[in-house]
Amino acid sequence: MPPDKQTLHMERIFDAPRQVVFDYFTVPELICTWWGPQSVTTEKAEIDLQPGGSCRWEMRDAENKLLLLHGRVVEVFPPERLVMTHQWDGDDQMTTLTLEFIAMGKQTRLLLKQEGISKAIPIHLYDDWWTGTLARLQTVMH
């Protein structure tokens, strides 16, 4: 990894089968029910679930500002693994998000890794975003 980049690692356990958790990351109608921390609403999600396919999330923050996140699917092995790039509209930084879904009976262990985060951006901002986002996912799935 370049010295000016950093990586975020997270792990969460969900009380849902692996396919269900995978679907919440890949089915646009489900993505819109939880994607983003509490202060963000996802209005539209698109994902072409094949290598090279595009993905896009249209969100609004608490001040009603439009947030656009886009990327490409790098790898997809349903329901085990999903790798995609993420880039905020108007930002030249691109990160790579790797999601691994590990079956644990009726539960799923999610391993999240986001690589290529500029060291100019405090890592806690990404940590806070994903902590809030995954907490919403926990709530929606119950």
Side-chain angles (χ1 to χ4, degrees):
M1 166 138 344
D4 62 336
K5 301 293 182 188
Q6 54 191 336
T7 300
L8 175 72
H9 294 272
M10 287 194 148
E11 181 176 328
R12 294 290 184 276
I13 305 287
F14 293 96
D15 290 324
R18 177 167 66 171
Q19 183 66 57
V20 171
V21 179
F22 185 84
D23 288 348
Y24 269 91
F25 277 89
T26 58
V27 175
E29 296 79 19
L30 295 176
I31 293 168
C32 289
T33 66
W34 68 276
W35 187 271
Q38 198 63 42
S39 62
V40 173
T41 302
T42 299
E43 297 177 340
K44 185 176 181 182
E46 300 170 353
I47 185 165
D48 180 3
L49 208 54
Q50 61 181 334
S54 65
C55 37
R56 179 178 169 88
W57 299 262
E58 295 180 14
M59 299 163 275
R60 293 227 177 247
D61 67 11
E63 289 80 42
N64 204 34
K65 179 183 174 195
L66 182 63
L67 306 171
L68 299 173
L69 180 65
H70 56 88
R72 294 248 171 239
V73 174
V74 178
E75 293 177 34
V76 59
F77 297 101
E80 301 169 19
R81 182 175 163 91
L82 177 62
V83 180
M84 59 185 129
T85 61
H86 276 179
Q87 187 171 7
W88 290 101
D89 208 43
D91 188 354
D92 61 353
Q93 173 182 248
M94 183 181 298
T95 63
T96 301
L97 179 68
T98 301
L99 303 166
E100 293 188 53
F101 305 85
I102 301 164
M104 299 171 39
K106 294 180 180 179
Q107 293 183 315
T108 302
R109 179 188 310 266
L110 172 70
L111 302 178
L112 179 151
K113 177 172 68 171
Q114 192 160 12
E115 300 173 274
I117 301 168
S118 169
K119 283 195 175 172
I121 300 171
I123 194 77
H124 78 83
L125 295 177
Y126 279 83
D127 188 278
D128 292 351
W129 173 276
W130 281 114
T131 297
T133 298
L134 295 177
R136 279 181 80 183
L137 177 56
Q138 287 275 18
T139 301
V140 166
M141 287 199 308
H142 283 109

